[in-house]
């Protein structure tokens, strides 16, 4: 818990997963403690709105946001009490002990003890009053956006899906039925496999070491499939790391050039391809600086606010804001225009983002088509996404939402990452 409190008590430039990995290395956590730290951090962000409200209502002087370490201790302690199977006394005692060990917060140990014990006593009332995750666990700026874009009912469904968390999906190279049986997985309509038991380490599951499959959300697997890569085609994958889509294209037999400006992230891509036994040209470069080329197809998974991934990365909701969306839309437009110069006449361009915000998806494609008369949209058919027509919007683009894919009908956890994808063709 100390590592998690340190993590939450600072202004982080790293994503939660990367920060957790770094904190685990620094603290020398064993696998069990690292897993607990991840669970505490994840549930703290997932329930952040509820936790803040519960603490604020029980602190006469309000939230100690000017004391980030103390605030983090209170948040993580309350998260364990309200949403984890940690004994109440253990959660309280640990938070108090950590406060006493910190010279900055020794005098606040009594406050920590009193507030968290009150959380324990009033847990049922706190949870009963938090029935609407859109109001209680979604930042106001996102809740307002989703209500305006998707309507009240669907926005609430998105928030409920975020609270439920994400399943583990995998993409297999071949024999989906065989691997589903071996892994105890369900084959989704889109072709991905969804694991029903995720208690063990992913790397220890059958098939992982020999490269038979890789972890990839079912929605994230759709753009590369929609590109329709053919053996021998020359395809550029822009902003390619960590490489799930590169692997899909290479597995289809395409000659793939994977481009990303981050050398460390491309090293992870290289390692993933080596495990999978796949080949691609890997290029450390800013996509905006590429010279015009004539590829058969280009896949652009543009940098975005990532609000479609909050089910599995709940920190995104609390570390991003509306300014990030505005800032990123300009970059996306420039990348789209650059990608257009890398496609041969008659070739395809697939643009996608893992964002729920229309400015980063539908709006970008509309503006691009208005600027580039030599491109046209190639609508997506329901048969290409397992017959799930609700994943296709009125323009023929892909729009998946966290509340899509009913788990009850599948016998497993439902939901998808929020993705937008549009398939375009350069007129020949």
């Amino acid at each position: 818990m100390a590592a998690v409190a340190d993590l939450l008590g600072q202004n982080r430039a790293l994503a939660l997963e990367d920060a957790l990995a770094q904190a685990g290395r620094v603290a020398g956590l064993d696998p069990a403690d690292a897993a607990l730290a991840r669970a505490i951090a994840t549930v703290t962000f997932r329930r952040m709105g509820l936790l803040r409200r519960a603490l604020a209502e029980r602190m006469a002087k309000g939230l100690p946001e000017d004391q980030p370490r103390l605030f983090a201790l209170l948040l993580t302690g309350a998260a364990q009490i309200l949403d984890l199977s940690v004994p109440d006394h253990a959660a309280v005692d640990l938070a108090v002990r950590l406060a006493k060990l910190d010279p900055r917060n020794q005098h606040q140990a009594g406050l920590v003890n009193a507030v968290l014990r009150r959380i324990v006593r009033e847990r049922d009332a706190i949870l009963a009053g938090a029935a609407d995750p859109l109001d209680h666990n979604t930042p106001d700026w996102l809740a307002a956006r989703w209500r305006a874009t998707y309507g009240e009912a669907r926005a609430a469904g998105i928030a409920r899906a975020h609270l439920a968390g994400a399943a583990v999906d995998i993409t297999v190279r071949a024999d989906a039925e065989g691997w589903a049986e071996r892994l105890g997985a369900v084959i989704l309509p889109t072709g991905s496999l969804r694991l029903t038991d995720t208690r063990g380490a992913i790397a220890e599951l059958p098939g992982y070491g020999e490269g038979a499959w890789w972890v990839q959300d079912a929605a994230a697997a759709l753009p590369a499939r929609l590109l329709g890569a053919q053996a021998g085609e020359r395809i550029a994958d822009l902003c390619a790391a960590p490489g799930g889509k590169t692997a899909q294209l290479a597995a289809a037999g395409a000659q793939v050039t994977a481009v990303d400006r981050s050398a460390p992230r491309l090293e992870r891509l290289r390692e993933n391809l080596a495990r999978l036994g796949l080949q691609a040209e890997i290029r450390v470069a800013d996509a905006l600086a590429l010279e015009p080329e004539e590829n058969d197809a280009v896949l652009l998974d543009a940098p975005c606010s990532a609000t479609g991934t909050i089910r599995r990365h709940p920190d995104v909701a609390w570390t991003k804001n509306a300014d990030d969306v505005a800032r990123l839309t300009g970059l996306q437009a420039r990348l789209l225009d650059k990608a257009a110069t890398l496609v041969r006449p008659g070739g395809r361009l697939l643009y996608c983002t893992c964002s729920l915000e229309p400015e980063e998806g539908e709006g970008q494609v509309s503006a691009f088509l208005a600027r580039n008369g030599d491109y046209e949209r190639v609508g997506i058919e329901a048969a290409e996404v397992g017959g799930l027509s609700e994943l296709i919007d009125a323009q023929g683009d892909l729009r998946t939402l966290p509340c899509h894919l009913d788990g009850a009908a599948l016998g497993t956890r439902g939901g998808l990452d929020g993705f937008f994808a549009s398939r375009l063709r350069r007129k020949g």
Side-chain angles (χ1 to χ4, degrees):
M1 182 169 160
V4 178
D6 284 339
L7 184 63
L8 294 172
Q10 54 186 287
N11 293 320
R12 296 182 299 103
L14 293 175
L16 179 60
E17 279 297 316
D18 293 334
L20 280 168
Q22 185 180 93
R25 289 192 298 269
V26 172
L29 299 180
D30 61 31
D33 285 339
L36 178 59
R38 177 172 282 100
I40 294 172
T42 298
V43 79
T44 299
F45 278 112
R46 187 167 286 149
R47 291 278 199 173
M48 182 67 77
L50 171 64
L51 298 174
R52 290 176 61 93
R53 184 173 300 188
L55 291 170
E57 291 174 351
R58 288 155 184 85
M59 300 184 72
K61 296 183 179 180
L63 297 175
E65 296 186 77
D66 59 340
Q67 302 173 71
R69 169 77 181 202
L70 172 63
F71 193 21
L73 286 176
L74 289 166
L75 286 169
T76 52
Q80 292 174 81
I81 293 165
L82 295 174
D83 211 321
L84 287 177
S85 57
V86 176
D88 295 338
H89 67 86
V92 176
D93 291 348
L94 179 55
V96 171
R97 187 162 70 251
L98 290 174
K100 289 179 178 178
L101 290 172
D102 186 345
R104 295 164 294 182
N105 293 310
Q106 288 175 341
H107 64 293
Q108 301 282 19
L111 172 69
V112 172
N113 181 65
V115 171
L116 292 183
R117 289 193 182 281
R118 188 175 172 190
I119 295 286
V120 171
R121 292 194 304 271
E122 300 174 6
R123 172 172 43 212
D124 291 346
I126 293 170
L127 294 175
D132 186 352
L134 188 61
D135 285 335
H136 287 85
N137 288 302
T138 306
D140 291 344
W141 73 277
L142 277 177
R145 278 178 157 272
W146 296 340
R147 284 186 169 108
T149 301
Y150 301 109
E152 182 70 29
R154 185 155 283 184
I158 291 171
R160 284 193 296 271
H162 290 163
L163 197 57
V168 176
D169 298 335
I170 64 173
T171 298
V172 297
R173 295 184 63 175
D175 190 17
E177 291 185 0
W179 281 111
E181 183 177 350
R182 272 170 261 178
L183 296 169
V186 172
I187 302 177
L188 301 180
T190 59
S192 293
L193 271 61
R194 178 157 292 180
L195 302 184
T196 57
D197 183 356
T198 57
R199 288 172 294 181
I202 293 294
E204 295 177 4
L205 292 176
Y208 180 87
E210 51 267 45
W213 51 266
W214 59 94
V215 175
Q216 185 178 34
D217 186 83
L222 290 173
R225 290 176 184 161
L226 295 173
L227 192 60
Q230 301 296 313
E233 282 193 315
R234 183 182 179 188
I235 300 180
D237 183 6
L238 307 183
C239 310
K245 298 176 184 65
T246 299
Q248 289 177 277
L249 299 172
Q255 299 175 20
V256 186
T257 300
V259 180
D260 201 285
R261 64 187 302 174
S262 170
R265 283 168 56 81
L266 279 177
E267 186 56 37
R268 288 173 55 193
L269 183 151
R270 193 187 309 274
E271 293 168 358
N272 288 335
L273 290 182
R275 177 177 65 82
L276 297 169
L278 296 171
Q279 300 291 325
E281 178 188 345
I282 297 174
R283 191 184 302 178
V284 181
D286 183 345
L288 291 173
L290 296 177
E291 295 296 326
E293 298 175 359
E294 289 204 344
N295 292 286
D296 296 298
V298 171
L299 193 157
L300 170 59
D301 187 353
C304 68
S305 62
T307 54
T309 69
I310 292 172
R311 290 185 314 144
R312 67 185 68 252
H313 301 301
D315 55 310
V316 167
W318 301 96
T319 57
K320 300 288 178 69
N321 56 50
D323 290 341
D324 291 311
V325 176
R327 175 178 56 82
L328 287 162
T329 54
L331 173 61
Q332 292 154 6
R334 294 193 299 276
L335 283 167
L336 250 177
D337 286 342
K338 171 58 69 171
T341 69
L342 306 177
V343 180
R344 66 167 175 80
R348 293 105 63 206
L349 169 59
L350 195 294
Y351 170 78
C352 64
T353 61
C354 56
S355 169
L356 294 172
E357 315 318 309
E359 303 97 311
E360 300 184 271
E362 295 88 344
Q364 284 291 359
V365 170
S366 294
F368 171 81
L369 290 173
R371 293 193 304 270
N372 294 272
D374 58 337
Y375 272 85
E376 61 186 354
R377 178 186 278 108
V378 180
I380 298 163
E381 303 292 333
E384 298 179 85
V385 292
L388 302 177
S389 58
E390 65 269 26
L391 307 187
I392 303 172
D393 68 16
Q395 301 300 319
D397 293 329
L398 177 78
R399 168 54 79 188
T400 66
L401 299 176
C403 53
H404 279 148
L405 202 62
D406 181 11
L410 298 168
T412 183
R413 180 178 289 182
L416 293 167
D417 277 357
F419 251 86
F420 172 85
S422 184
R423 184 170 54 194
L424 309 167
R425 177 167 51 212
R426 186 174 183 183
K427 299 174 184 177

